[in-house]
Amino acid sequence: MSDSTKQVTDTGTDTERTSPQEGADVSEDTNVVIDGMTKIFREDDGSEVVAVDDITIEVREGEFLVLVGPSGCGKTTTLRSVAGLETPTDGRIVIEDQDVTGFNPRERNISMVFQNYALYPHKTVRGNMAFPLEVRNYPQSEIDERVEEAADLLSIPELLDRKPNALSGGQQQRVALGRAIVREPAVFLMDEPLSNLDAKLRVQMRTELNDLHKRVGKTTIYVTHDQAEAMTLGDRVAVMNNGKLQQIAPPQYVYDNPANRFVAGFIGEPPMNFFDVEVRQEGGDYIAECETFEVKLSEKLASDLESFDGDMDDLTLGIRPEDIQDASVAEDLVGDRNTLEAYVRLVEPMGSDKFLTLTPPDEPDNLSREFSARVSPDSSIEEDEIVTLVANIEKMHLFDNRTGENVSPI
Ligand code: ATP
């Protein structure tokens, strides 16, 4: 199945947006525009890699925008192009209403924070944070003031006289952030800044970054392959795949209204379950039928299908694991044709819920047809039994197998 290549830029908010045209002014509250950018790398053997394929993203003043997608989807190349570390093959980069496409990084009003903090080992924390200002010949009094302000903001004033090798990973990351903050740039660019930290510290630093962003209020473009990080940090997330922008919207909107099957499978953990279905009409109802169960579709999906001009026999039904429950616990949810039977391969109690790994009841060993559910901890479902589950039909999605696109308008 091919993933959708359509760029979807529904914001899920009522904020007015403009589409930048070649040479046109951008909207007033827009801070950075990646305008129709393509980046092609040419290898020595003459072959080409299209790292970024005609992407347009408008980043608003003060916004925290997360570029997220699997490894190799082009997010770092996009960020490096905004920074001036790569030259776009086509399209342009606009920062604060100025076309900076041909500018070198030092001529752009940006600060970048990388995955490896790249601190100078022989300099103290103070020296590291002061460095970007020293090379720009700021007066010493202003350097001292800004470094101390940033150190306070990051709660590291007591570390100012230490060298990086006497700091924990989290502290080093704070210093790297401090070094970016002191310049007071128009835009922060961050490339997986938390990925060298252990899981617990990552979550803590995520909260700190959120908090820092609220206080500093600067436009930030943040790259990660971690969808959970994208969901928690972004005002909006831009989901990329194969160099193409798949969808850009607030995180909850993307979760609730994925533009295509790729986005549906990428955002959400555990990922959405997909079932090949044929949809038929029965009276006024629409019934989705897969090999082992059938469900009645919601009124909303039925109405969306009215205007669908594709093949009703060639669809994929998407149900998130959290939208499949133990029918004996979630009795309220049980309605007209919304239950299914499954064989339980694995039960993983997580405390807040139980993860079930399931297969069709008549093919318990067919791992290619595995799917999952995230049921209430009150469920007493056990492994190796056949159980009845109930699906929340209001939360289901249908995707067109030809294009991968969501049948519902996004
Ligand atoms: P990751 O999360 O692994 O860093 P990414 O989404 O940031 O991945 P990019 O680093 O932007 O992806 O790479 C996009 C594509 O461009 C990949 O196929 C990569 O191999 C290719 N690419 C990146 N830099 C170069 C380069 N300098 N020369 C050739 N190909 C490159």
Side-chain angles (χ1 to χ4, degrees):
M1 174 183 307
S2 67
D3 288 318
S4 167
T5 55
K6 194 177 81 171
Q7 293 190 9
V8 177
T9 54
D10 196 325
T11 61
T13 68
D14 55 6
T15 312
E16 202 180 310
R17 310 183 67 234
T18 59
S19 294
Q21 305 294 316
E22 190 69 29
D25 284 343
V26 296
S27 63
E28 250 175 50
D29 69 342
T30 304
N31 201 206
V32 178
V33 184
I34 301 163
D35 185 10
M37 194 194 88
T38 293
K39 175 65 186 179
I40 300 172
F41 290 106
R42 293 197 166 80
E43 306 280 10
D44 293 341
D45 64 4
S47 62
E48 291 186 343
V49 180
V50 183
V52 181
D53 192 356
D54 192 16
I55 277 192
T56 294
I57 298 175
E58 294 170 33
V59 191
R60 301 186 194 118
E61 179 79 49
E63 180 175 30
F64 199 120
L65 181 92
V66 180
L67 296 178
V68 65
S71 183
C73 72
K75 40 193 197 302
T76 293
T77 305
T78 304
L79 194 78
R80 286 173 57 84
S81 302
V82 176
L85 298 167
E86 302 286 358
T87 308
T89 311
D90 201 2
R92 53 178 204 149
I93 305 292
V94 179
I95 298 178
E96 293 187 302
D97 289 335
Q98 186 173 30
D99 184 342
V100 297
T101 317
F103 289 20
N104 70 41
R106 300 247 341 237
E107 293 167 326
R108 302 179 186 208
N109 196 5
I110 51 118
S111 274
M112 192 145 173
V113 183
F114 296 95
Q115 171 178 348
N116 55 351
Y117 327 116
L119 299 177
Y120 299 108
H122 58 281
K123 288 185 189 285
T124 60
V125 167
R126 186 188 298 279
N128 269 283
M129 284 167 64
F131 186 71
L133 303 177
E134 284 167 0
V135 294
R136 286 172 179 81
N137 298 319
Y138 278 68
Q140 191 59 45
S141 57
E142 189 169 350
I143 294 177
D144 291 344
E145 198 178 309
R146 286 197 187 196
V147 166
E148 268 154 43
E149 235 174 63
D152 280 344
L153 204 59
L154 292 156
S155 312
I156 51 169
E158 71 285 2
L159 304 181
L160 280 173
D161 297 317
R162 284 205 206 159
K163 296 259 178 75
N165 64 7
L167 301 175
S168 71
Q171 289 168 334
Q172 289 186 37
Q173 190 51 268
R174 277 186 208 117
V175 178
L177 285 170
R179 193 174 48 185
I181 288 171
V182 288
R183 278 204 35 231
E184 301 180 4
V187 186
F188 288 119
L189 304 175
M190 303 193 184
D191 191 357
E192 307 249 8
L194 308 184
S195 57
N196 283 354
L197 307 177
D198 66 47
K200 198 168 164 213
L201 198 52
R202 272 181 89 120
V203 174
Q204 186 191 329
M205 283 299 287
R206 238 194 255 166
T207 315
E208 287 188 20
L209 264 180
N210 245 329
D211 195 41
L212 188 68
H213 176 68
K214 281 197 193 96
R215 281 184 288 158
V216 178
K218 281 277 155 68
T219 309
T220 303
I221 308 179
Y222 185 102
V223 160
T224 181
H225 64 274
D226 180 344
Q227 62 92 31
E229 208 163 280
M231 292 294 281
T232 49
L233 280 174
D235 291 323
R236 284 189 303 160
V237 296
V239 185
M240 292 180 68
N241 190 33
N242 290 332
K244 290 191 163 74
L245 180 63
Q246 303 289 316
Q247 185 169 14
I248 177 166
Q252 190 65 44
Y253 188 88
V254 174
Y255 174 89
D256 291 335
N257 306 281
N260 57 44
R261 185 178 155 150
F262 171 79
V263 175
F266 189 77
I267 298 289
E269 182 58 38
M272 186 183 282
N273 298 299
F274 296 114
F275 305 94
D276 265 331
V277 292
E278 293 181 5
V279 173
R280 63 171 198 276
Q281 256 182 303
E282 223 178 77
D285 296 333
Y286 281 85
I287 310 293
E289 184 184 340
C290 78
E291 271 187 53
T292 48
F293 66 90
E294 59 178 43
V295 283
K296 191 178 107 174
L297 298 177
S298 66
E299 280 178 22
K300 154 99 178 46
L301 269 184
S303 128
D304 293 341
L305 278 172
E306 297 284 347
S307 44
F308 173 64
D309 58 4
D311 185 354
M312 300 260 272
D313 291 342
D314 196 14
L315 296 170
T316 291
L317 179 71
I319 316 178
R320 294 202 183 275
E322 47 275 42
D323 297 324
I324 302 179
Q325 291 296 321
D326 178 348
S328 65
V329 174
E331 284 171 357
D332 297 358
L333 218 52
V334 177
D336 182 12
R337 280 175 288 182
N338 67 342
T339 58
L340 59 144
E341 305 240 292
Y343 175 80
V344 184
R345 292 189 65 84
L346 186 66
V347 178
E348 294 171 279
M350 307 298 289
S352 56
D353 33 33
K354 284 181 176 166
F355 286 1
L356 309 182
T357 304
L358 306 150
T359 42
D362 53 344
E363 290 182 276
D365 297 324
N366 187 348
L367 301 188
S368 69
R369 298 187 57 200
E370 244 180 29
F371 64 105
S372 63
R374 197 163 148 181
V375 299
S376 149
D378 301 336
S379 166
S380 52
I381 283 179
E382 290 186 4
E383 287 171 9
D384 295 325
E385 58 175 2
I386 289 176
V387 294
T388 304
L389 301 159
V390 56
N392 184 350
I393 62 164
E394 300 300 332
K395 299 279 182 77
M396 288 179 188
H397 298 275
L398 275 179
F399 302 95
D400 182 345
N401 283 353
R402 282 172 318 158
T403 60
E405 278 175 33
N406 199 328
V407 162
S408 303
I410 301 301

